[in-house]
Each structure stands twice: as C-alpha cells, then as structure tokens.
Amino acid sequence: MDVDSRTDPGGAMEEKEESDMMSTLQPYIEGLRRELEYQEPRLIIGLVVALAVVVITVVFLKYFLTSKTVGTAVLLVGLCDSGKTLLFVRLLSGKFKRTQTSITDSSAPYKAKNDKANTWTLIDLPGHDSLRSQYMEKFKSAARAIVFVVDSAIFQKEVRDVAEFLYFLLTDAVVSRNAPTVLVACNKQDIPMAKSAKLIQQQLEKEMNTLRVTRSAVLSAQDGSVGGSVFLGKKGKDFEFSQLPMKVEFLEVSARGGKGEEGEASLESLEKSLARL
C-alpha cells in the first residue's frame, strides 16, 4: 500500500533536501558543461599539433641519420711506410720528395685531370695504428673517395694488418652510409717482388671473410648481438668487394717510379679514377 507523503514527514524532508541540493549544484554543472564544450576543440587542436610535431621530428631524424652526405675530400689512408705521403706529393706536384712518417694530417687542393677540372681537398692521414682511427673519425664524413694505399712489396707480411684496417673502414656506419669510392692503390709496383692488384684483392677478400666470422662471433659472445658496426658483405656468402654499397677499385701504382728519384711516378690509373669522381 502506498504511503502518503503527508503521513511520512521523513520522506518528504529527504526529497526536499535532494531537490535543494540539485538546485544548488545545477549552476556548477551547467558551468562545467559549458567549460568542457569550450575546452574540447582547443584540446583536440593541441593534440593534433603535438602529434604533427612528433611525426615531423621522427621523419627529419630518419632523413638526417640515414641520408647520404656527398663529400669534397679525398682521403689518403694506409699503414705506416706504405708510401702515402710521397703519393700525396706526387699527385699535387708530380715531383719526388723525401718523406718521413706523418704524425698529423696534411691537406691541399687537388685538381682532377678531367674536362671539368673538379677540385677536391686531398688529405694525407697518419698511418700509425695509434693515430689513424682518430683522424679517420675526424675526416670520414667529408670523404668523397678513400685512397687506401698498400705496400705491394711486403704485402704478404702485412696482409693481416692491412685487412684489419680496411675492415675497420668498411664496417664504419658513416662510411657505409655515404658510400665514398674506395681506391685500393697497390703501391711500389716498381719493386720486382711486388704483388699484383689482382692477387692483393683475392687475398684481402679471404682474410676479411675470416675477420668477419671471428669479429661477429666475439661481438655476439659479448652482448648477444652483432651491433656496433655494419655487417660486411652479404650474409651466407663468402665476402667479395663487389657486395659492398660503395665502388671499390684495385689499382697498380708506383709513387717512386721505376727510375728512382729522378723518374716519373706511375699514377695514371689512380688519376683516371680520381677524374671520374
């Protein structure tokens, strides 16, 4: 049976209190509703702008970190006593000059022997093992070409060291991304016991294939991954220079020349390659 509110003063009082409370809160609720309606478009616009900024930043960073830089320098690198500095002098002046082991870099403008007469900055980097990595770090981003000088006369004794230095260069992330032309200048071809460019290439491919296996194993054992450097060549295949992202040429040269100090250098193949850069 229904109970008349007149006979239940407690129920009537509760209804009155609820009504009064709703009346009191109504202005605040209405104000909050209007505030939300006002704020929501601005909130959406803010989120869209923030999202756009994030997307643009990610795209920019991806482009910046992966884009290829076209350099203007030709770097002369190699082990000590490979003949880099004399080669540097010969390319610039054509003259013979007695040299000594470099402990710092030397640079000068080099004009290519082509119709355009392109000018590059030729930079001779120290070959000592305690210096060459820091100088490569300094100049690698500017390299349009890297002339890697090898002493062909004693190559058999230095094959391991030559391969390790070349491996270090070619697995560098910046060098791999920019893909400068690599010219392996097999120097001192005037000496009768000098190895040919073809033989040097073949032996370096074998040695670097072994290095790739051992280096990958060491890195994997240390942290479970190969990270830190670019994988050399193609996985599952024996290493060949033709697998690299950059062009690699093996050239036979003689900075000293076959007639000693008074004779002319034999650099035609190197100069032609530099003219094609």
Side-chain angles (χ1 to χ4, degrees):
M1 182 175 65
D2 293 336
V3 179
D4 192 330
S5 62
R6 287 175 295 182
T7 63
D8 186 11
M13 187 176 294
E14 287 178 1
E15 288 179 2
K16 186 176 184 303
E17 288 176 355
E18 289 176 2
S19 177
D20 291 342
M21 185 179 296
M22 289 300 297
S23 298
T24 304
L25 292 175
Q26 189 65 33
Y28 295 99
I29 294 172
E30 187 65 21
L32 180 60
R33 184 182 65 80
R34 288 197 300 268
E35 186 68 13
L36 287 173
E37 288 178 350
Y38 176 73
Q39 290 285 351
E40 188 175 1
R42 288 167 47 185
L43 209 63
I44 294 174
I45 292 172
L47 288 173
V48 169
V49 171
L51 183 60
V53 169
V54 170
V55 170
I56 292 171
T57 302
V58 169
V59 171
F60 174 78
L61 287 175
K62 182 178 180 181
Y63 175 80
F64 179 77
L65 294 173
T66 60
S67 61
K68 176 179 177 179
T69 301
V70 179
T72 58
V74 174
L75 308 183
L76 290 177
V77 304
L79 304 186
C80 283
D81 301 322
S82 59
K84 293 184 293 80
T85 304
L86 179 56
L87 188 62
F88 174 78
V89 173
R90 287 285 206 181
L91 285 171
L92 294 174
S93 68
K95 298 179 180 179
F96 178 88
K97 180 182 178 181
R98 292 191 176 277
T99 62
Q100 56 186 12
T101 302
S102 303
I103 58 172
T104 187
D105 61 281
S106 300
S107 63
Y110 169 76
K111 185 172 290 187
K113 294 184 177 180
N114 56 22
D115 295 336
K116 296 180 181 179
N118 295 327
T119 300
W120 314 115
T121 302
L122 191 64
I123 308 176
D124 176 27
L125 304 187
H128 196 278
D129 57 2
S130 65
L131 298 172
R132 57 192 181 220
S133 60
Q134 70 184 67
Y135 278 93
M136 270 304 303
E137 189 67 27
K138 180 179 179 181
F139 292 108
K140 64 184 180 183
S141 297
R144 187 180 185 87
I146 297 175
V147 180
F148 190 94
V149 186
V150 176
D151 186 338
S152 305
I154 58 171
F155 172 72
Q156 210 64 45
K157 296 179 181 179
E158 296 185 332
V159 59
R160 178 75 179 187
D161 292 335
V162 172
E164 286 184 344
F165 187 18
L166 193 53
Y167 183 95
F168 164 77
L169 291 178
L170 297 177
T171 56
D172 182 89
V174 173
V175 174
S176 179
R177 183 180 71 236
N178 292 342
T181 298
V182 177
L183 305 173
V184 182
C186 303
N187 194 25
K188 305 186 182 181
Q189 288 293 317
D190 54 293
I191 298 177
M193 297 301 292
K195 304 299 181 184
S196 68
K198 184 177 181 180
L199 180 62
I200 289 174
Q201 178 178 348
Q202 292 172 344
Q203 292 198 14
L204 279 177
E205 286 178 338
K206 290 180 181 179
E207 192 67 33
M208 292 175 73
N209 189 63
T210 302
L211 274 173
R212 184 176 65 176
V213 174
T214 55
R215 294 291 174 87
S216 297
V218 169
L219 289 171
S220 296
Q222 288 176 347
D223 59 11
S225 66
V226 175
S229 62
V230 176
F231 185 83
L232 195 68
K234 295 183 178 180
K235 293 182 179 180
K237 293 186 177 182
D238 289 341
F239 172 73
E240 294 180 1
F241 287 102
S242 60
Q243 300 165 353
L244 298 176
M246 70 281 290
K247 181 180 181 181
V248 181
E249 289 185 68
F250 281 75
L251 311 169
E252 295 185 355
V253 301
S254 176
R256 184 179 178 88
K259 297 182 180 179
E261 298 179 10
E262 301 301 324
E264 294 185 359
S266 178
L267 305 178
E268 293 83 2
S269 58
L270 177 58
E271 289 173 333
K272 287 181 180 178
S273 294
L274 292 175
R276 291 194 293 266
L277 294 178

